Amino acid sequence: MNLPNRLTVGRFFLTAFFVASMTAAWRRTETSGLPPTMSWAWGYSAGLVFFIAASITDYLDGAIARRRNLVTDFGKLMDPLADKIMMAAAFVCLIPEHAIPSWAVIVIISREFLITGLRLLAAGKGVVLPADKIGKHKTAWQIICVLYFLTLLSLAEMQRAGWFFIGTPWADAWQFGGPVLIAVVLVLTLWSGICYVQRNWTLVTSGAM
């Protein structure tokens, strides 16, 4: 297995570590009226680190494969799949934090299932469909959106640990900046999905016959 493919496989493990960190993060129990409970006070910060590392592998595996002419069918199939699992895991983990509404996550994941199904249909016909440019652009904005919320969660952890006392400026950033990023992500997600299906419509029609 060449280096780009190893990086792709490594992204699966980094995603697992990310989910574990987010699951073990500090949880508030505001609705119950009880004090916040804590599994791991630095879970969000650790999740941020793992997500950044996974995002870096997303860039490196493609760049190295193209530069060294190491593009393989495995990479064409597994690289987009690793991206989808990474992003789906990130958005699902942000639902309990009220960062992104569940309906928006359903829209995003549904698009990914649609494209994955199209790729499987193409693979059954001996055709490999790599990620296109608009899909990469979509993924980049999804990564920016997740990093935005994870950074704010990490800053809140640092303040709880007493690292600084400057109020909570990220509260406004969460309330006003977050919805804008979510809107951008949703538009790009839907648009890239439509473009991908249109470009490969012959596969859809032939598969239904």
Side-chain angles (χ1 to χ4, degrees):
M1 183 177 290
N2 60 34
L3 177 58
N5 290 342
R6 286 178 185 152
L7 290 172
T8 298
V9 172
R11 188 149 69 256
F12 287 107
F13 288 99
L14 288 169
T15 299
F17 293 145
F18 163 78
V19 172
S21 298
M22 293 293 290
T23 303
W26 188 300
R27 301 292 180 186
R28 294 181 181 274
T29 54
E30 296 169 350
T31 55
S32 67
L34 298 174
T37 57
M38 184 187 72
S39 296
W40 184 21
W42 296 104
Y44 296 133
S45 299
L48 173 62
V49 171
F50 285 126
F51 188 81
I52 290 174
S55 301
I56 291 174
T57 67
D58 179 32
Y59 168 77
L60 288 178
D61 58 6
I64 294 174
R66 289 186 296 270
R67 187 177 305 166
R68 300 183 182 179
N69 195 25
L70 297 174
V71 178
T72 63
D73 287 344
F74 177 89
K76 290 179 181 179
L77 286 172
M78 298 306 292
D79 180 35
L81 179 61
D83 293 343
K84 288 172 172 50
I85 292 176
M86 178 182 74
M87 296 314 308
F91 283 123
V92 169
C93 286
L94 286 173
I95 292 177
E97 314 307 329
H98 305 289
I100 182 170
S102 56
W103 66 264
V105 175
I106 291 173
V107 169
I108 293 171
I109 294 178
S110 296
R111 182 269 186 198
E112 305 305 341
F113 274 121
L114 173 65
I115 301 305
T116 300
L118 186 59
R119 283 201 174 99
L120 290 174
L121 182 62
K125 298 177 180 298
V127 178
V128 177
L129 299 180
D132 55 9
K133 289 184 178 180
I134 190 172
K136 288 291 186 180
H137 196 59
K138 175 267 304 179
T139 301
W141 275 98
Q142 287 182 346
I143 290 173
I144 290 171
C145 182
V146 172
L147 286 175
Y148 182 84
F149 285 114
L150 290 177
T151 300
L152 297 180
L153 288 169
S154 178
L155 287 172
E157 279 185 336
M158 293 178 187
Q159 186 181 46
R160 282 196 295 267
W163 283 25
F164 47 77
F165 302 93
I166 57 173
T168 55
W170 44 85
D172 290 337
W174 184 285
Q175 183 177 358
F176 298 107
V180 173
L181 281 174
I182 293 170
V184 171
V185 165
L186 284 174
V187 170
L188 286 174
T189 296
L190 292 172
W191 179 247
S192 63
I194 293 171
C195 291
Y196 203 89
V197 171
Q198 285 182 334
R199 190 177 301 109
N200 300 284
W201 185 246
T202 55
L203 285 171
V204 177
T205 55
S206 62
M209 295 176 62

